Amino acid sequence: MPVPSTQSDSRPAGTGQDRRLAVSAMAADSPVTPNAWFDTWFEERGRRSGFRVTRIPFDRLSGWGFDRRTGTLAHESGRFFSVEGLRVEADELVGTWEQPILVQREIGVLGILVKEFDGVLHFLMQAKMEPGNSGAVRLSPTVQATRSNYTGVHRGRPIPYIEHFVMPRTGRVLADGLQSERSCWFLRKRNRHMIVEATDAVADREDFCWLTLGQLRRLMARDNTLSMEACSVLACLPGAAPDDGGRARHTLGEVIAALCEIKARYEVGQHRMPLKDVTSWCRTDHEIFRPDGRFFTVIAAEVHADSREILHWTQPLLAPVPGGQAALLTRRFGGVRHVLLHARVEAGSLDIAEFGPTVQCTPDNYRDLPAHRWPRFLDHVRCAPPERVLYDTVLSEEGARFHHAESRYRIIDVGDGLADVPDDFVWVTADQTARLLQHSYYLNMQARTLIAALHSLD
């Protein structure tokens, strides 16, 4: 039975889009999808997902195979993605190395449909299971699809609601921009982040539900409930961040200049190469891996699904070393909350570097290195007193390409510390991150995920 909305009778000051988002953020419950009903529905979706994922040898992949000349693992259609070799050449500080990397030329769509019910914006979210998820569904964008998916290359069922995000479409676009994928595993991969407001009636489907922004922010505190893709799109909401009142420690121009300085400082060459020639990596019948067990492996999987566009398929998956960490350090300057971003150079970056979280790493990958080679500020994350931890949640990487890829996401208040930081780090306000996210390729996937979590704390 629907419960009354907990939305306050008071309304925030202001008009337009900011006010509408504030009203939705204040609605911690909704008669459209009451919290109690959602919890039961989401648990039921997990039980009914009907996914069976089995690791298989590479020679049992259907439609996929290794090129005899290069060793590249690709689909016979030439679509979806391929596993190729990459040589990264940079200066001695960044280093030079070779690795397998996922190559996908297509620009995918990550789209959330929104609609007003009784004057409150609601977001249409999908309970979606992916083959790489660790045993549960994730609350995902309305549409999460590559061009191969929504143009029917897989010969499966149509993508629900895709008509709202491809031309010709109806509705009002609230946000639309290209943002990077995970640049340590993808080569120059981009997704189109879209938020579209529906102006006409929207048909109901059993794997979808309408939630307010307040409900979504409440769910961000639950382990493995919202997908990182959903958080990434929500971070791009215009007007979602509080205004810093012009009291930022650095101007936006100085923040951008800090990133440009890192891009100008390093010459980074990305050279695709035959996968079979990648040094320090081995291939067996079942996986591609490093003998020292670091970074990730590439495996093959067979998938049976009861609720997807296609019900049976095989594919490669990238399986990272467990224990990923992503953390934002935060403090106040002049009463305004700032977060510490790190200008990161990653293997597959489109333009040398983007801002990432303060810390983004898998500690096991550094186990044999001396302490001075470990990521900076990792000790602040590991040794943070519990009362300083503002956010602490385990989230999954996208399960369509990655197998059991979970990381622990944290936001940690450092009090009055760390006023001065190395020049590849910069203190920025939430308002400044929102303005950066109106453009492409400033904040990486992990940073966007944590920025969405930061908004949920306000």
Side-chain angles (χ1 to χ4, degrees), residues 310-321:
I310 189 167
L311 302 181
H312 171 254
W313 72 93
T314 62
Q315 68 168 94
L317 289 168
L318 188 151
V321 170

Side-chain angles (χ1 to χ4, degrees), residues 67-119:
D67 183 273
R68 292 183 179 180
R69 182 176 60 86
T70 65
T72 292
L73 178 57
H75 194 264
E76 61 187 8
S77 67
R79 304 297 293 274
F80 303 112
F81 65 95
S82 59
V83 184
E84 303 184 21
L86 181 72
R87 179 175 175 82
V88 181
E89 295 179 345
D91 61 23
E92 60 182 17
L93 184 61
V94 175
T96 296
W97 71 94
E98 297 174 356
Q99 66 170 84
I101 198 154
L102 305 185
V103 178
Q104 187 169 8
R105 296 186 299 274
E106 309 175 339
I107 294 176
V109 172
L110 300 179
I112 296 179
L113 195 63
V114 302
K115 187 173 177 62
E116 275 196 6
F117 295 94
D118 296 327

Side-chain angles (χ1 to χ4, degrees), residues 28 31 41 87 155 161 304 412:
W41 172 82
R87 179 175 175 82
R155 297 188 293 276
Y161 304 111
H304 291 84
I412 298 168

Side-chain angles (χ1 to χ4, degrees), residues 62-64 75-80 106 146-159 308-314:
S62 176
W64 296 82
H75 194 264
E76 61 187 8
S77 67
R79 304 297 293 274
F80 303 112
E106 309 175 339
T146 65
R147 184 172 178 82
S148 292
N149 292 143
Y150 65 77
T151 58
V153 172
H154 57 18
R155 297 188 293 276
R157 294 179 293 195
I159 303 293
R308 289 292 295 270
E309 309 85 48
I310 189 167
L311 302 181
H312 171 254
W313 72 93
T314 62

Side-chain angles (χ1 to χ4, degrees), residues 86-88 94 97 99 101-102 179-190 259 262-263 266 268-271 342-356 360 441-446:
L86 181 72
R87 179 175 175 82
V88 181
V94 175
W97 71 94
Q99 66 170 84
I101 198 154
L102 305 185
Q179 301 294 344
S180 61
E181 258 277 14
R182 298 149 181 87
S183 297
C184 54
W185 298 332
F186 270 114
L187 180 61
R188 303 178 183 177
K189 176 73 169 66
R190 299 162 290 166
L259 182 61
I262 298 302
K263 292 182 180 183
Y266 301 116
V268 179
Q270 299 164 323
H271 307 286
H342 179 207
R344 292 177 53 88
V345 177
E346 294 188 302
S349 293
L350 184 70
D351 188 17
I352 300 178
E354 287 185 296
F355 284 126
Q360 177 188 320
Y441 318 132
Y442 278 120
L443 271 66
N444 74 4
M445 188 78 168
Q446 291 83 353

Side-chain angles (χ1 to χ4, degrees), residues 186-206:
F186 270 114
L187 180 61
R188 303 178 183 177
K189 176 73 169 66
R190 299 162 290 166
N191 283 319
R192 190 176 182 184
H193 286 46
M194 301 183 70
I195 300 172
V196 176
E197 182 174 5
T199 53
D200 298 327
V202 178
D204 292 331
R205 294 177 181 266
E206 64 175 357

